[in-house]
């Protein structure tokens, strides 16, 4: 792939599409939306407004860190606090596809509102090829592929969607992100799903349960990040297990450690994590997260499992 040629072409295309109108970029801090935002910022300058929706489902300190990384590159990011709306939309939902659909609906509602508020006619977002293939194949509902599945965002939401990365897979997106001047901690970053930690909470998605998985995720990323896996994270199960805390029995939460190796997320195999690292991690998670009594490690490849849990 000729990265420079790709960037030049996309910048030209974005300019042609948006013309003299304004666009909004949906930044989440992942590699895809970061590369996409930088492309759009290069193409449109101050015709682009960058919005980060804080849905309450992000990793630790994510909104502030994203704002500071982009700020350093001269791109201003507005954080929109939509946590209550997302938790309300997800309330009582336990079925994976219902959660995804609720997330997607809420995402577009919030963005639709923000795009309208900004007066922009275009929404730039970082959909990549794997998102499209899996949604068309019926594997799952992604939140960002409205047009590919025949829903017209202009009719439903009042704006057009621009997706400059839709022909690329993740490794190519990383090259583009790097060439656009983004720091290594962004272009080397593990993939993170659009619906965020909601993909890693089996059962009810409440602020408390998300906080548990958020803390566990930070511990997993810190310990297993050293192994440079494709993706490593924590999952909170809906089940519980008995443990003993301070001499008393407690029926607590179960955290699963999931670490996988993959090239493009279409298939994956479990990371061969050294036993001492797993032991350290299990101890840290149960020591530092009071509600957790058990930690398990998952060994299933994709297929038959998917990488995320919903
Ligand atoms: P699965 O769980 O389908 O995940 O094996 C494949 C890859 O996609 C990520 N993923 C998502 N990314 N929106 C995204 O932007 C989503 O709804 C979504 N669901 C899964 C997942 O983290 C993995 O890298």
């Amino acid at each position: 792939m000729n990265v420079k040629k790709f960037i030049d072409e996309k910048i030209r295309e974005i300019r042609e599409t948006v013309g003299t109108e304004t666009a909004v970029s949906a930044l989440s801090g992942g590699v895809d939306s970061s590369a996409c935002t930088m492309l759009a910022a290069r193409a449109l300058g101050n015709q682009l407004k960058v919005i980060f929706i804080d849905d309450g489902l992000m990793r630790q300190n994510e909104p502030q860190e994203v704002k500071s990384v982009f700020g350093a590159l001269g791109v201003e990011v507005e954080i929109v606090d939509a946590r209550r709306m997302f938790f309300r939309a997800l309330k009582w939902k336990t079925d994976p596809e219902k959660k995804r659909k609720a997330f997607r609906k809420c995402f577009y509602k919030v963005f639709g509102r923000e795009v309208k508020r900004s007066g922009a006619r275009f929404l730039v977002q970082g959909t990549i090829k794997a998102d499209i293939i899996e949604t068309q194949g019926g594997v799952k509902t992604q939140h960002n592929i409205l047009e590919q599945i025949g829903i017209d965002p202009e009719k439903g939401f009042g704006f057009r969607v621009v997706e400059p990365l839709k022909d690329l897979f993740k490794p190519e997106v990383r090259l583009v992100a790097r060439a656009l001047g983004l720091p290594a901690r962004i272009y080397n970053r593990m993939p993170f799903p659009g619906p965020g930690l909601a993909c890693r909470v089996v059962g009810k998605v409440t602020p408390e349960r998300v906080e548990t998985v958020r803390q566990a995720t930070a511990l997993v990323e810190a310990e297993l990040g050293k192994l440079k896996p494709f993706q490593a994270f924590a999952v909170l199960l809906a089940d519980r297990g008995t443990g003993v805390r301070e001499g008393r029995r407690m029926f607590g939460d179960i955290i699963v450690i999931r670490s996988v190796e993959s090239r493009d997320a279409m298939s994956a195999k479990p990371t061969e994590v050294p036993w001492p690292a797993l032991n350290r991690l299990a101890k840290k998670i149960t020591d530092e997260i009071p509600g957790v009594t058990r930690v398990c490690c998952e060994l299933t490849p994709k297929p038959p499992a998917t990488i995320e849990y919903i």
Side-chain angles (χ1 to χ4, degrees):
M1 176 197 188
N2 183 334
V3 178
K4 192 181 171 308
K5 188 163 159 243
F6 175 86
I7 291 174
D8 291 343
E9 256 172 44
K10 289 297 157 183
I11 288 178
R12 204 178 49 242
E13 272 175 38
I14 296 170
R15 280 189 187 139
E16 272 170 22
T17 308
V18 176
T20 55
E21 301 277 356
T22 50
V24 169
S25 176
L27 177 62
S28 72
V31 192
D32 305 344
S33 74
S34 295
C36 175
T37 297
M38 279 310 291
L39 265 180
R42 288 256 186 108
L44 302 172
N46 57 15
Q47 280 169 265
L48 180 74
K49 182 172 176 191
V50 182
I51 289 174
F52 179 100
I53 295 291
D54 183 0
D55 54 18
L57 303 165
M58 300 281 172
R59 285 169 287 189
Q60 244 164 24
N61 303 326
E62 188 74 7
Q64 297 72 20
E65 278 180 25
V66 168
K67 195 173 166 74
S68 100
V69 163
F70 277 82
L73 290 166
V75 180
E76 199 197 320
V77 178
E78 186 191 333
I79 298 176
V80 175
D81 182 359
R83 289 176 292 182
R84 283 182 56 196
M85 278 181 77
F86 279 92
F87 281 114
R88 208 182 305 134
L90 290 166
K91 203 170 178 179
W92 309 119
K93 299 206 169 50
T94 53
D95 176 77
E97 283 294 274
K98 284 190 180 144
K99 279 183 189 172
R100 283 180 171 274
K101 284 183 179 141
F103 180 90
R104 183 174 63 172
K105 206 170 148 202
C106 192
F107 178 87
Y108 276 92
K109 199 165 147 192
V110 175
F111 261 104
R113 187 188 72 195
E114 292 304 317
V115 174
K116 276 203 187 104
R117 198 166 63 87
S118 70
R121 299 278 296 117
F122 294 86
L123 172 63
V124 190
Q125 62 176 23
T127 314
I128 70 169
K129 200 162 183 172
D131 300 335
I132 295 169
I133 293 174
E134 296 224 321
T135 301
Q136 284 172 342
V139 177
K140 68 169 55 158
T141 304
Q142 299 271 3
H143 75 280
N144 51 1
I145 35 61
L146 288 183
E147 266 178 326
Q148 285 80 11
I149 55 170
I151 299 174
D152 181 347
E154 192 151 25
K155 268 198 199 131
F157 303 96
F159 52 75
R160 280 181 60 197
V161 177
V162 182
E163 296 173 314
L165 306 177
K166 68 176 193 283
D167 297 321
L168 304 188
F169 281 108
K170 196 70 96 183
E172 298 158 326
V173 178
R174 292 192 198 283
L175 297 178
V176 171
R178 183 181 177 163
L180 285 164
L182 284 158
R185 53 171 290 261
I186 297 266
Y187 68 71
N188 278 336
R189 201 161 202 201
M190 294 176 199
F192 188 69
L197 298 173
C199 289
R200 300 170 181 179
V201 171
V202 184
K204 282 187 209 154
V205 183
T206 61
E208 298 73 28
R209 302 192 80 225
V210 170
E211 188 49 37
T212 297
V213 90
R214 180 181 287 122
Q215 286 177 28
T217 298
L219 296 172
V220 172
E221 285 194 358
E223 180 66 49
L224 302 189
K226 299 172 206 156
L227 304 171
K228 302 206 182 314
F230 177 78
Q231 232 169 327
F233 54 88
V235 178
L236 174 63
L237 297 186
D239 227 333
R240 301 220 263 168
T242 301
V244 180
R245 263 198 201 282
E246 290 156 10
R248 297 176 65 178
R249 283 169 71 86
M250 179 183 152
F251 198 42
D253 286 325
I254 306 174
I255 287 287
V256 172
I257 299 168
R258 175 101 165 120
S259 183
V260 295
E261 302 308 321
S262 176
R263 203 190 72 82
D264 54 16
M266 304 294 281
S267 64
K269 59 179 188 124
T271 307
E272 292 185 20
V273 182
W275 193 241
L278 283 176
N279 273 325
R280 265 196 307 276
L281 198 44
K283 182 167 176 357
K284 264 196 195 148
I285 291 172
T286 47
D287 280 355
E288 293 180 26
I289 313 176
V292 178
T293 47
R294 287 171 187 240
V295 178
C296 305
C297 179
E298 169 156 16
L299 296 174
T300 329
K302 173 183 179 175
T306 55
I307 294 176
E308 304 291 344
Y309 263 56
I310 72 156

